[in-house]
Amino acid sequence: PIFPWAVGVADAWELNSWDRFVIPKPYTEVYGEVGELFHVPSDVNNRELEDYRRALELNPFAYRAWLGLAHVAWLRSDLPGTEKALNRVLRVYPQQPYANYLLSRTAQRRGAYLTALVLSRKAASANKKNSEYQRWHEFIQDTLAKQLALPGN
């Protein structure tokens, strides 16, 4: 089992260093989270176990570890595990682009298109240079527009 905890800030300077050290900007909000135990499934193969290990090697106390766990859960098609880990990330770093993008993808798989739209917009706005986030947001917009245009809606 893994017992995570993390601290994040709403606005910060991120250094271009090996550990991407963060310096909070003056008067910014500070977020903290103590997590519940996270159990690595017993049926993971060696490659998946290595993915978990690498995710935690980043820093077991940072949001990036949870982001790594979310990515591994996504690759395993474990939507509840993905959502649980991403919600932890977003409590610490609400504007984290990849977390919003991936949570948008899970919402879309569940059929929650309005939630997917809101989250995809956050991802696309937070990282305007990432064309995948932009394409995903446009896809969700188009899909939702088509659903709303169906007869009987």
Side-chain angles (χ1 to χ4, degrees):
I2 301 160
F3 183 73
W5 64 275
V7 175
V9 294
D11 198 14
W13 294 286
E14 188 172 305
L15 301 182
N16 192 15
S17 61
W18 68 272
D19 64 351
R20 319 250 328 145
F21 188 77
V22 173
I23 301 170
K25 291 186 178 178
Y27 308 105
T28 192
E29 267 187 78
V30 176
Y31 303 94
E33 183 68 27
V34 175
E36 57 194 63
L37 287 178
F38 183 88
H39 296 277
V40 177
S42 59
D43 64 339
V44 297
N45 62 37
N46 287 340
R47 188 184 139 290
E48 291 168 335
L49 191 56
E50 180 63 15
D51 288 342
Y52 275 104
R53 188 196 63 73
R54 268 187 280 150
L56 291 171
E57 189 176 77
L58 290 172
N59 181 347
F61 309 115
Y63 76 87
R64 284 186 182 89
W66 279 105
L67 200 55
L69 290 172
H71 183 76
V72 170
W74 172 259
L75 292 175
R76 298 188 75 227
S77 299
D78 175 9
L79 294 184
T82 303
E83 290 175 331
K84 178 180 177 181
L86 291 173
N87 284 325
R88 296 270 182 208
V89 170
L90 293 173
R91 283 186 200 147
V92 174
Y93 187 178
Q95 298 304 320
Q96 209 292 328
Y98 184 68
N100 280 294
Y101 164 75
L102 198 54
L103 197 54
S104 172
R105 304 265 324 230
T106 62
Q108 183 263 343
R109 280 201 182 168
R110 285 188 292 103
Y113 287 95
L114 285 175
T115 301
L117 179 66
V118 169
L119 294 166
S120 69
R121 171 102 173 112
K122 284 183 181 181
S125 296
N127 189 342
K128 292 180 172 48
K129 293 181 182 179
N130 187 311
S131 59
E132 174 63 22
Y133 298 166
Q134 306 306 318
R135 280 193 302 268
W136 178 251
H137 179 61
E138 290 169 10
F139 170 77
I140 293 296
Q141 279 181 313
D142 293 345
T143 303
L144 189 57
K146 288 175 187 172
Q147 283 190 342
L148 293 175
L150 290 175
N153 284 338

